[in-house]
Amino acid sequence: EAGVVQSPRYKIIEKKQPVAFWCNPISGHNTLYWYLQNLGQGPELLIRYENEEAVDDSQLPKDRFSAERLKGVDSTLKIQPAELGDSAVYLCASSSLGPEQQYFGPGTRLTVL
Amino acid sequence: AQTVTQSQPEMSVQEAETVTLSCTYDTSESDYYLFWYKQPPSRQMILVIRQEAYKQQNATENRFSVNFQKAAKSFSLKISDSQLGDAAMYFCAYRSAVDSSYKLIFGSGTRLLVRP
């Protein structure tokens, strides 16, 4: 069974540019999470989807961050415009239903210059 | 709000020896889950072990075991017979069993070095 897939693995952009990250969860997993991991810290939840509905986006900075999960499968996280402080690892995770074990992808390391 | 604290930024262990990583947490809830995740340089978080707060028995998974002290709000991870492949960042995490957010709250991590 394929795990959570994320792309790209690395992204380097200049500040004020837009950037997008893509996540494909494990097949059949209804719940999808995006986490932000700053250097030297543990991940922090940005947004959680149940199928195509964002049920917890309280930690998502909505002025520059947006996310979507069309058709309840793949998800995209976007930053526009990126700032220097957005340099971090963005992790995607999925679970079969709500509180079941979360499986993580390899993350996207973003560097904003 | 719940918090998770890992007070050891880095630990070192000799191959084949035993090491214990510490974790404390703060919560007013009585029902919750605790986890230890391993994050190697590949960055993929891998679940090592899980403990339900209502269970008094400490969880074990092969060479990995926990010491869960609910009253003290302590949740340490013991790795026996350490192997070179155990070298990674280890994160302790909390998840409420009553809050429907299913959010994992992580500590800041402990880097484990394994000396050959």
Side-chain angles (χ1 to χ4, degrees), chain A residues 3-4 12 16 26 32 42-43 45 50-51 53 56 65 75 82 94 97 102 109:
Chain A
V4 177
I12 301 174
K16 300 186 181 180
I26 292 173
L32 184 146
L45 181 69
E50 294 289 347
N51 297 304
E53 181 183 0
D56 183 0
F65 286 66
S75 178
S94 70
L97 186 65
Q102 296 181 28
R109 180 181 295 279

Side-chain angles (χ1 to χ4, degrees), chain A residues 45-57:
Chain A
L45 181 69
L46 286 174
I47 188 169
R48 172 173 68 97
Y49 281 92
E50 294 289 347
N51 297 304
E52 62 274 6
E53 181 183 0
V55 295
D56 183 0
D57 62 355

